[in-house]
Amino acid sequence: MGNDLKLRRWRESDCRMIYDWRISPETMRWCFDQQIFPYDGHECWFAGFLKNSRRFGFILEDDGQPVAQIRFDPAELTGCYRISLAVAPGRSGHGYGSSILHLACQSSEIRRNAALLVAETMLDNLPSQKIFVRNGFIQAGSGESAGFKMLCWLLPVHSFAHPLPIQFFAEPAWMEDIEKILSATGLALAGDATAQVKLFMGAAVSDSDLVSSVVLHLNVNHTTVLDLALRYPGQIELPVEFCNMQTAVAQLAASLSFLQTC
Ligand SMILES: CC(C)(COP(=O)(O)OP(=O)(O)OC[C@H]1O[C@@H](n2cnc3c(N)ncnc32)[C@H](O)[C@@H]1OP(=O)(O)O)[C@@H](O)C(=O)NCCC(=O)NCCS
């Protein structure tokens, strides 16, 4: 890796290169979607991506040569973004993956628009797991996508001086995982009856007055689905499916904090 690393946004002329990188066997090996899609479909997707002000794509250049790309797509909830990245074929193992992840997560675009970053890696994708750990991502349980077992990773973009208090109504077995992810991310605190956000999980019920609270229900029987959201301050289309309970709780906390501050 040289000393002249530069991060820049995707531009129209990157379309073919990003397609070629995406369909290279080195990248395909680790994609949840293993289908090779036609180039004209990619062109259309790429043009739509560039036009969309809520999507962010970056290229890392080393001495003027493109060596890696990363993109941030809106995740399930407002203020949460999902990351995909790849280094150019033949360029892996030189630190470019870690550098683009670091630089892009620190970029003004991401710091302005995101409260929480989410990533998913295949269980045996050790190089990608290494770069997420190195860049401070927190391991947040596992999940499944297209039949592949995956690990989930989270990175809060800001540290919150006043984490959001949430009252959880959940089985004790789930509380342990919830408390772990809250203390690792600092996104929320397990609050008491005075908390203005109530999160019900499974079949939990309450007889307290919920009229003025944000009331959320996560159905965690088979998958993790948000199926009820009362007084959620942003636009939300129910149901919302998450890859596991930890990413659901973290996204809800991050999203509510983000919506309160913007
Ligand atoms: C994952 C990826 C982005 C990493 O980029 P990279 O530039 O190769 O990463 P880095 O050089 O910064 O670091 C890779 C680390 O993995 C290590 N590594 C490489 N192969 C490994 C293996 N088989 N087992 C364990 N560690 C391995 C490297 O030694 C290095 O660790 P080190 O710095 O401690 O030595 C790149 O390999 C890639 O594009 N993969 C295909 C697409 C992909 O998997 N994307 C991630 C899913 S979102």
Side-chain angles (χ1 to χ4, degrees):
M1 186 165 60
N3 292 321
D4 187 19
L5 292 184
K6 189 179 140 213
L7 187 77
R8 63 158 176 84
R9 293 285 293 274
W10 284 5
R11 45 189 183 224
E12 267 171 52
S13 56
D14 294 324
C15 184
R16 181 84 224 186
M17 178 185 76
I18 286 173
Y19 178 78
D20 290 341
W21 291 5
R22 171 65 174 77
I23 62 165
S24 79
E26 287 164 64
T27 305
M28 284 295 280
R29 157 85 178 81
W30 301 113
C31 291
F32 293 110
D33 180 0
Q34 297 270 324
Q35 285 192 6
I36 297 192
F37 40 87
Y39 183 65
D40 53 359
H42 169 79
E43 264 185 315
C44 190
W45 170 85
F46 194 77
F49 188 101
L50 292 188
K51 271 200 214 115
N52 188 330
S53 59
R54 295 181 61 231
R55 291 173 187 253
F56 303 95
F58 299 91
I59 296 285
L60 181 71
E61 291 180 346
D62 186 358
D63 205 11
Q65 290 301 309
V67 290
Q69 64 87 13
I70 189 165
R71 70 169 212 264
F72 297 78
D73 293 298
E76 285 78 5
L77 296 180
T78 310
C80 304
Y81 274 83
R82 181 166 275 105
I83 294 181
S84 314
L85 82 162
V87 299
R91 300 281 202 156
S92 60
H94 297 287
Y96 293 130
S98 194
S99 295
I100 194 170
L101 185 59
H102 173 73
L103 293 170
C105 292
Q106 294 298 323
S107 68
S108 55
E109 291 92 332
I110 297 308
R111 294 191 65 77
R112 229 185 358 256
N113 288 285
L116 180 72
L117 303 175
V118 180
E120 284 140 12
T121 60
M122 279 188 196
L123 207 53
D124 52 350
N125 191 348
L126 299 180
S128 74
Q129 288 162 31
K130 269 200 167 175
I131 67 170
F132 285 114
V133 170
R134 180 165 297 154
N135 285 282
F137 280 71
I138 295 148
Q139 219 266 286
S142 56
E144 222 177 275
S145 178
F148 295 104
K149 195 112 169 107
M150 64 186 180
L151 293 178
C152 304
W153 302 89
L154 299 174
L155 182 72
V157 176
H158 307 278
S159 53
F160 292 90
H162 303 291
L164 185 75
I166 300 181
Q167 187 181 15
F168 291 92
F169 295 83
E171 287 176 17
W174 289 332
M175 281 313 295
E176 200 180 318
D177 280 342
I178 292 171
E179 272 160 15
K180 264 192 215 154
I181 204 67
L182 296 187
S183 95
T185 59
L187 287 167
L189 288 171
D192 57 18
T194 60
Q196 284 305 295
V197 179
K198 319 277 185 200
L199 179 49
F200 291 80
M201 300 174 70
V205 287
S206 161
D207 52 9
S208 60
D209 183 10
L210 302 172
V211 173
S212 60
S213 317
V214 176
V215 177
L216 306 158
H217 180 251
L218 275 179
N219 191 333
V220 277
N221 291 333
H222 301 294
T223 51
T224 303
V225 178
L226 180 70
D227 56 10
L228 184 142
L230 298 179
R231 290 175 286 280
Y232 178 80
Q235 276 197 342
I236 192 165
E237 203 173 308
L238 296 176
V240 184
E241 187 170 344
F242 298 90
C243 54
N244 65 26
M245 191 256 293
Q246 292 99 312
T247 58
V249 168
Q251 282 204 44
L252 283 164
S255 178
L256 287 164
S257 301
F258 180 81
L259 287 163
Q260 268 176 12
T261 53
C262 62

